[in-house]
Amino acid sequence: METRSEKIVVLGFDGADYFLMKQLMEAGALPNFSRLAAKGVFAPLRSTIPHHSGPAWTTFATGAHPGTTGIFSFFLPPESYSQKPAFSTDIKVPSFWDIASLAGVRCGVLGVPLTHPPQPVNGIMVSGYPARDESEAYPENAHKKIYDETPAEAPMTKTVFDAAEWIRFLYMKDIRRARLIPRLMKEFDLQILTAVFEMTDQVQHYYWHDFDLQHPNHDPDTPHEIQEFIPRTYMTADALTGRIMDEVGEDANYFIVSDHGFGPMDKVYNILFAFQNIGLLKVKDPTALNEALSKGSNDMNDLLDIEHSFVYFTHMGLTFATGINLNLAGREPRGIVPPGDGEKLLTNIKTLLEAEIDPETGAHVFTQVSHKEEIYSGPCLDNAPDLLALSNYKIVTTPTCNAKFNSIKVPAFGESRNHLNWTGTHRVNGVFIAAGPSIGKCNNEIKPSIADVAPTILKIAGIKKPDYMDGSIIHILKNSVINYPAVYVAPGKYVEDADSCHPAPPLTEEDKQNAIDRLRGMGYI
């Protein structure tokens, strides 16, 4: 029994928002996305909880939710209260390109988050963040075969970061990546090509207030080209897609996806201060805490007097989600909460957070506070935070700002911006567009989740969905695809012949520090 041979091109635009894309399509600004939607399907794509790039892109790749993949953010669950960045080797189940590679399908993977270090694939892989640059590739030194020059490193250090420089870098990298895709598909004989582009996400984090006339930080005197920066970025994404379609051809199946949507934020709520005020935790040194907060430190747990703290945090970045863990005796190394009191304490914290009000607006800070069992299931459930607090979207929560309530402060036009100046953040509805010879014109409303993309891609390739995948095949395929006798592939990682396989070297401390620096520059820490 053989797999199917139709080409599949999957283009991921990080943070592309369904409602904004729909608005721009209706205005005629995105002709290539509109062309695909008219031939196939256009729908919102429900992200993971939290709507965070780390777990969301991992769920996209594996078809499995965080309780199965073990990835709940860009950081691993706290180990001895300290968090370390996650890498590809920490993902507990294979990706769809692993499964397709095992079936003999040629795959290319470019820039997908959490593919560093690069893993063997039946084709080519160029790692996405937190890789330092595009030289992190499989096979070893593959970037020398595909790039005319050495890829530039991301423009960031531990202490200096400028949003405008960063986004210019992303634009150039994304444009170059798009131009490479048709050539790579030919030269490496790829059947499935998956690429992720970052510019759509970052421009919305830093420039949402310039675009959004209703945002409290909007300045109508800002130059028009800056106010139009977000729509023009979507138009650039559309133009890149059109170029790829023209060169690869209409006989391929195209998927346009994003990991989450986007919307405004204008206030930050510091849950660390709130818990400190009621005695749930204690800091070692208030001076050191204030210094760390002013820099946007990534790990507040290091600053806690843990022997006198009932809770600590799972870091999820400057987003609307906060992971809260009990400092449980017998589970944590220096736990102080008696196991018999754990559930009662969690319930009391949940009640406290649900009652928290923004004193300026009267709005509830949190829209959902849930025990992990209410959100997740699977073999990695124990690694999830005990309690997950999801805030009112306009108020992001974090243990890393320097007051209980902070209004976002935006520098004047022309001044540098960093992640403490974000005015946009994630929403649940990303983008799903699909069209091609295997995909029917869908007139019915569909409600796909990001976990559904991987099994749908495998089905088009003639491969049976593995049992570990939580997602379902989206009801958009033609009968000839649905009725094709799919090949079963035992789940595993692709490995070449032992004589030619060069596995990625072990991660070094420098690799880990590079990951932290990259995530800091992106605003996740």
Side-chain angles (χ1 to χ4, degrees), residues 77 127 154 205 305:
S127 289
H205 275 308
D305 179 356

Side-chain angles (χ1 to χ4, degrees), residues 74 225 363:
F74 276 122
E225 61 268 23

Side-chain angles (χ1 to χ4, degrees), residues 10-315:
V10 188
L11 305 179
F13 292 95
D14 200 304
D17 181 73
Y18 170 76
F19 296 104
L20 178 52
M21 184 175 283
K22 185 172 186 287
Q23 177 183 340
L24 292 171
M25 287 168 67
E26 289 172 348
L30 306 177
N32 297 298
F33 291 150
S34 297
R35 177 160 51 119
L36 288 173
K39 295 195 300 182
V41 59
F42 173 48
L45 187 66
R46 189 173 69 255
S47 186
T48 51
I49 297 177
H51 327 320
H52 187 297
S53 296
W57 283 121
T58 303
T59 291
F60 154 80
T62 63
H65 294 303
T68 300
T69 66
I71 302 298
F72 298 91
S73 78
F74 276 122
F75 287 83
L76 297 176
E79 181 179 316
S80 298
Y81 310 104
S82 182
Q83 290 192 257
K84 298 177 181 178
F87 294 94
S88 61
T89 48
D90 297 305
I91 300 171
K92 304 302 183 186
V93 291
S95 63
F96 69 79
W97 52 80
D98 288 322
I99 300 300
S101 292
L102 289 169
V105 175
R106 297 281 292 170
C107 298
V109 184
L110 303 179
V112 178
L114 288 183
T115 53
H116 173 66
Q119 301 295 301
V121 66
N122 184 24
I124 185 170
M125 174 181 288
V126 176
S127 289
Y129 56 76
R132 182 182 67 255
D133 58 45
E134 292 170 303
S135 66
E136 308 288 348
Y138 180 89
E140 189 178 7
N141 296 322
H143 68 286
K144 295 180 179 178
K145 299 179 182 178
I146 61 176
Y147 293 113
D148 295 331
E149 57 189 27
T150 301
E153 286 195 33
M156 59 187 61
T157 70
K158 297 182 197 176
T159 56
V160 178
F161 174 76
D162 179 72
E165 181 187 5
W166 171 229
I167 290 170
R168 280 194 296 271
F169 168 81
L170 292 180
Y171 253 77
M172 297 308 297
K173 187 176 73 168
D174 285 352
I175 290 170
R176 181 172 64 174
R177 181 171 293 164
R179 289 173 175 170
L180 280 172
I181 286 172
R183 177 164 68 85
L184 293 183
M185 292 194 72
K186 291 178 182 177
E187 290 186 10
F188 287 86
D189 191 26
L190 303 178
Q191 181 180 341
I192 303 177
L193 185 288
T194 305
V196 171
F197 304 88
E198 299 175 55
M199 59 185 177
T200 35
D201 176 86
Q202 295 292 291
V203 74
Q204 292 178 108
H205 275 308
Y206 292 102
Y207 292 91
W208 190 273
H209 67 287
D210 293 314
F211 160 73
D212 184 351
L213 302 182
Q214 306 304 314
H215 196 282
N217 292 104
H218 182 76
D219 180 359
D221 294 329
T222 298
H224 181 72
E225 61 268 23
I226 300 300
Q227 296 191 45
E228 292 293 314
F229 201 178
I230 289 176
R232 288 184 181 278
T233 302
Y234 277 69
M235 292 165 69
T236 301
D238 180 84
L240 296 179
T241 300
R243 176 172 179 153
I244 292 167
M245 291 166 58
D246 290 344
E247 295 192 35
V248 173
E250 298 286 336
D251 58 341
N253 294 288
Y254 291 92
F255 288 83
I256 310 298
V257 298
S258 66
D259 52 335
H260 53 72
F262 243 90
M265 61 175 270
D266 56 45
K267 194 170 290 187
V268 179
Y269 170 86
N270 190 326
I271 200 167
L272 184 150
F273 276 30
F275 283 3
Q276 184 182 17
N277 290 344
I278 61 173
L280 279 173
L281 56 78
K282 185 177 179 180
V283 298
K284 298 174 187 174
D285 180 353
T287 303
L289 173 66
N290 289 332
E291 182 179 348
L293 290 171
S294 68
K295 296 178 180 177
S297 176
N298 68 296
D299 200 343
M300 292 295 100
N301 293 332
D302 287 346
L303 300 170
L304 297 183
D305 179 356
I306 203 69
E307 284 85 359
H308 297 92
S309 296
F310 297 99
V311 297
Y312 63 100
F313 301 103
T314 293
H315 183 71

